[in-house]
Amino acid sequence: YAAVEIAERRASVLARWAKLKESVLDWRSRLGQSQSLQQFNRDADEVEAWITEKMGTATDESYRDPINLQSKLKKHEAFQAEVVANKVRVDGIIEAGKELIESQKCPGR
């Protein structure tokens, strides 16, 4: 009866379905990129807050006062250990940023 019209409608539906699948894949890809960027921003903000907090300790000039040197030495050693312990985290953020830029998930400066 209407074999030609049915075939045309079928082809039209299949073409729209393919276009829809392509749009969904593109949307899913952009969503994943956005998630990666948001996660990086969150992690970078945490590291930046930690660095800002530690800058107060690093710029403290109470070391000039010779009173209670033993206590100051212990504080310095604890500070130094914390900086070393967080080096991996800071380096990780730097590498994650480079990867985002190289994969073009975010623009570099």
Side-chain angles (χ1 to χ4, degrees):
Y1 295 103
V4 173
E5 289 138 4
I6 291 172
E8 288 173 355
R9 284 194 66 173
R10 178 181 179 275
S12 172
V13 168
L14 289 175
R16 290 191 341 233
W17 174 249
K19 187 175 180 180
L20 177 63
K21 282 179 25 179
E22 183 179 318
S23 295
V24 166
L25 290 174
D26 181 53
W27 176 78
R28 203 179 271 174
S29 173
R30 285 185 286 137
L31 185 61
Q33 291 174 356
S34 176
Q35 180 184 13
S36 297
L37 184 58
Q38 293 300 321
Q39 183 175 354
F40 169 78
N41 284 335
R42 183 198 68 217
D43 294 345
D45 287 344
E46 288 175 4
V47 168
E48 182 180 16
W50 177 80
I51 290 171
T52 301
E53 176 187 331
K54 296 305 161 191
M55 284 302 291
T57 304
T59 58
D60 182 15
E61 294 196 16
S62 67
Y63 68 89
R64 294 178 188 257
D65 184 9
I67 298 173
N68 203 0
L69 289 178
Q70 189 65 28
S71 172
K72 291 177 184 177
L73 179 61
K74 286 184 181 184
K75 283 183 182 179
H76 173 75
E77 289 171 347
F79 176 77
Q80 193 172 20
E82 189 175 356
V83 168
V84 168
N86 280 282
K87 183 181 183 332
V88 172
R89 188 167 73 146
V90 172
D91 291 344
I93 291 296
I94 292 169
E95 283 304 311
K98 287 178 182 177
E99 288 174 12
L100 283 172
I101 291 169
E102 288 172 5
S103 67
Q104 298 178 347
K105 291 184 180 178
C106 75
R109 291 185 195 186

